[in-house]
Amino acid sequence: MLVVAGGIPDSLATAALWNPGPGWGTSTLNLQFKKAALAWTGNSALAVFRRLSNNPPMGDDELYYGEWTPAGFGALTSMGSVAIDGPALAPHGVATLLTVLAPFNQHSFLQYEAGMFGPSAAIPAGLPGSTAFGPSASTLVPFGVAGVYTAYSGADEKVYMCVKTGPGSIWSPSQMVPSSPVVNTLAPSMVVNTDDDLEIFYIRKSDGHICTVKLVTPQNGWELESEIHPNAISGNAPAAIGLPGGDVLVAWRGFDTEGIYFSRRTAGVWSDPITVDVPALPSSAPVVVTGLDGADAEILYAAGAKLQWARVTGTTVIPGEDPKVTNVTSIAALVVPD
């Protein structure tokens, strides 16, 4: 499991790798970041960072990228552009797709292939040639052999999604998701389940409840919005993951606490919210990845500016080995294939 952890000015970010047996190993990145994203490219992990400058506005929000191999990260390279939210990454066949929220709230994408990024282009709104806009970043999830969905919250407090079926294809026009008004400063989360249906999770504006809608494929019909649980309430973006057996797990930070919680859907039924931790010090929204070494899922978050790790088996939570990583408020994580 590879984690990049940072977010504190006047310090450098950390790359941390956990393997069963040896445990955690860490190295320092020559950069500090606001947000980061990771994706597996087939033989390495691509990382994209939105820089946190020690001397804003010089270099603040500048995008950097680098590749990780078992030997660690190589040099991080500036992309020569800035973003105001994001990034998000997803495998895209032989390529990797990057989306960011560019200046003026424009949703943009770039394709990474053969060790380099192509030019930036706009994600379309409702018509080809138009531009998708919104106050927060988009998210990505891969599906099928080489397809990618993206979803974002619009200025009108609705969720939108569109699809790109392969590296050589164009984006479909954005379509409105049949949701209630959402907190549009938060990016939605997405899962493609074992039935190949797309599930989108978001925070409903009226009451802070975590809600979901499902696009049933291949019929491409939307199911009605539903809450995952009456007590699943948050003021931060939820983190969702589909598990290999077909379950779905959603984790979140409490609405008015520093608590970290999750709910797991098994055979179509969501569990009551389960407490991971209620730290006394400020916490971050959690990140969730597929479990390793017998666990079903791994939940990572920051509390008191330290990286925290919890392991989920069924609905049982066990604290993971202390990564001993500090100066953390922002996390990205990835399970590295064997």
Side-chain angles (χ1 to χ4, degrees), residues 8 24 55 136 185 218 253:
I8 300 291
W24 287 101
N55 185 28
S136 60
T185 54
R253 181 179 177 272

Side-chain angles (χ1 to χ4, degrees), residues 139-143 147-152 159-164 171-172 175 177-178 188-202 212-224 240 248 265:
T139 52
L140 293 167
V141 66
F143 72 94
V148 175
Y149 290 108
T150 190
Y152 60 92
V159 177
Y160 292 84
M161 60 79 64
C162 52
V163 60
K164 194 170 184 288
W171 286 104
S172 70
Q175 63 171 288
V177 173
S189 182
M190 293 188 289
V191 165
V192 174
N193 64 28
T194 51
D195 294 325
D196 295 326
D197 300 330
L198 173 66
E199 301 185 53
I200 303 178
F201 299 86
Y202 49 87
T212 181
V213 293
K214 181 192 294 186
L215 177 66
V216 179
T217 62
Q219 296 88 348
N220 287 330
W222 291 98
E223 292 188 352
L224 296 176
V248 174
R265 188 182 68 207

Side-chain angles (χ1 to χ4, degrees), residues 18-180:
W18 181 80
N19 278 304
W24 287 101
T26 61
S27 59
T28 300
L29 295 170
N30 191 27
L31 184 79
Q32 187 52 274
F33 64 85
K34 295 180 177 180
K35 287 186 180 180
L38 294 164
W40 189 248
T41 65
N43 52 24
S44 64
L46 174 65
V48 175
F49 305 91
R50 185 159 59 89
R51 185 183 178 199
L52 174 61
S53 173
N54 290 331
N55 185 28
M58 299 298 293
D60 210 34
D61 289 320
E62 188 175 359
L63 293 170
Y64 280 76
Y65 74 96
E67 289 205 25
W68 178 92
T69 69
F73 274 101
L76 302 180
T77 302
S78 172
M79 296 177 62
S81 60
V82 300
I84 58 175
D85 202 3
L89 286 170
H92 193 35
V94 297
T96 306
L97 199 68
L98 165 68
T99 60
V100 296
L101 189 67
F104 309 107
N105 286 1
Q106 177 178 297
H107 288 291
S108 300
F109 76 97
L110 302 91
Q111 199 159 287
Y112 183 81
E113 193 169 354
M116 61 185 299
F117 279 99
S120 175
I123 295 173
L127 296 172
S130 60
T131 300
F133 290 89
S136 60
S138 60
T139 52
L140 293 167
V141 66
F143 72 94
V145 176
V148 175
Y149 290 108
T150 190
Y152 60 92
S153 302
D156 58 357
E157 299 176 341
K158 292 290 188 178
V159 177
Y160 292 84
M161 60 79 64
C162 52
V163 60
K164 194 170 184 288
T165 56
S169 68
I170 62 171
W171 286 104
S172 70
S174 295
Q175 63 171 288
M176 184 185 292
V177 173
S179 70
S180 300

Side-chain angles (χ1 to χ4, degrees), residues 14 16 24 26 306-308 321-328:
T14 299
W24 287 101
T26 61
K306 291 181 62 178
L307 178 61
Q308 308 286 341
E321 175 191 348
D322 184 358
K324 295 183 173 60
V325 175
T326 58
N327 297 324
V328 181

Side-chain angles (χ1 to χ4, degrees), residues 228-232 252 262-264 269-275 315:
I228 70 168
H229 192 278
N231 294 328
W252 66 92
F262 77 89
S263 181
R264 179 171 180 163
V269 178
W270 290 98
S271 71
D272 291 339
I274 296 157
T275 301
T315 53

